């Protein structure tokens, strides 16, 4: 719980925009859902990856956090285009950009897990640092919100609740 308004925007109406009307490319990672993710067919065709945008009273972006803020230059695009690495993270080789493997340590993220490897989708702004970071005009700290093992456990629980088969997790690197 936070003591200030937070807006969720599933219809993407509140996104900061580039002059051509597209979501701001320097902030957001967005695009069509890859066809290999057939479990989203009929549910979702486009996606915008996690982001926190802070704006002033006039709507001007004053600070943001997104996957783009985690890497320099073209590193994020390079990692998201690595189909072999991303596909190895699942048993059915789907192309989910959230499965880009990252190092918790290299990103400077807080974590309660024991593994250094996580997926980029598990890295988020540290909610406890959000307001202090805004007030101090500094980047927000980041944290791993779930480990890969926790994501698999949650995913399998969800599949079971839907009466679907749960598949085994890919072998971990040790």
């Amino acid at each position: 719980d936070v003591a200030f308004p937070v807006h969720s925007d599933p219809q993407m109406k509140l996104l900061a925009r580039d002059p051509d009307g597209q979501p701001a490319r320097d902030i957001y990672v967005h695009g069509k859902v890859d066809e290999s993710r057939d479990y989203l067919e009929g549910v979702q065709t486009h996606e915008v990856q996690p982001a926190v945008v802070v704006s002033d009273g006039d709507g001007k972006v004053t600070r943001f956090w997104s996957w783009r803020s985690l890497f320099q230059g073209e590193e994020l695009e390079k990692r998201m285009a690595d189909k072999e690495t991303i596909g190895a993270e699942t048993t059915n080789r789907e192309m989910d950009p959230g499965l880009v493997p990252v190092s918790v340590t290299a990103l400077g993220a807080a974590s309660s897990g024991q593994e250094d490897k996580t997926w980029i989708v598990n890295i988020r702004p540290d909610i406890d640092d959000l307001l202090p970071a805004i007030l101090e005009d500094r980047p927000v700290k980041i944290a791993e919100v779930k480990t890969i093992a926790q994501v698999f456990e949650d995913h399998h629980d969800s599949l079971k609740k839907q009466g679907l088969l749960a598949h085994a997790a890919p072998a971990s690197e040790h």
Side-chain angles (χ1 to χ4, degrees):
D1 291 332
V2 292
F4 53 90
V6 175
H7 303 281
S8 180
D9 187 22
Q11 281 77 39
M12 301 188 296
K13 293 179 182 177
L14 300 174
L15 293 178
R17 302 273 177 180
D18 282 339
D20 66 359
Q22 290 296 310
R25 289 168 185 86
D26 61 338
I27 298 175
Y28 305 108
V29 175
H30 61 91
K32 288 189 79 156
V33 172
D34 190 85
E35 61 190 30
S36 66
R37 295 168 66 196
D38 58 357
Y39 56 91
L40 292 175
E41 189 174 319
V43 176
Q44 180 179 345
T45 57
H46 288 78
E47 63 186 340
V48 177
Q49 302 309 337
V52 173
V53 178
V54 179
S55 60
D56 62 19
D58 296 323
K60 180 181 176 238
V61 174
T62 59
R63 180 164 305 284
F64 72 90
W65 174 91
S66 74
W67 291 359
R68 295 211 183 276
S69 60
L70 297 175
F71 300 100
Q72 299 293 315
E74 301 296 316
E75 182 65 19
L76 177 62
E77 284 75 11
K78 179 180 158 191
R79 289 177 183 228
M80 287 178 39
D82 187 345
K83 293 181 178 191
E84 192 62 36
T85 298
I86 294 172
E89 295 297 316
T90 69
T91 54
N92 51 357
R93 311 281 304 162
E94 63 202 38
M95 273 303 296
D96 181 343
L99 302 183
V100 168
V102 295
S103 163
V104 173
T105 306
L107 293 177
S111 176
S112 60
Q114 303 299 313
E115 298 287 326
D116 184 51
K117 175 184 155 185
T118 194
W119 293 325
I120 195 169
V121 74
N122 297 338
I123 300 294
R124 302 289 172 96
D126 182 341
I127 198 69
D128 293 330
D129 187 53
L130 189 55
L131 188 55
I134 293 167
L135 296 173
E136 296 168 16
D137 194 29
R138 62 170 171 78
V140 67
K141 295 175 186 172
I142 57 175
E144 179 186 39
V145 294
K146 286 188 178 187
T147 65
I148 291 173
Q150 289 168 325
V151 171
F152 272 115
E153 186 176 319
D154 291 350
H155 178 65
H156 290 168
D157 287 348
S158 172
L159 291 174
K160 287 176 190 173
K161 286 178 185 173
Q162 297 174 61
L164 301 172
L165 294 175
H167 53 78
S172 180
E173 296 175 16
H174 287 294

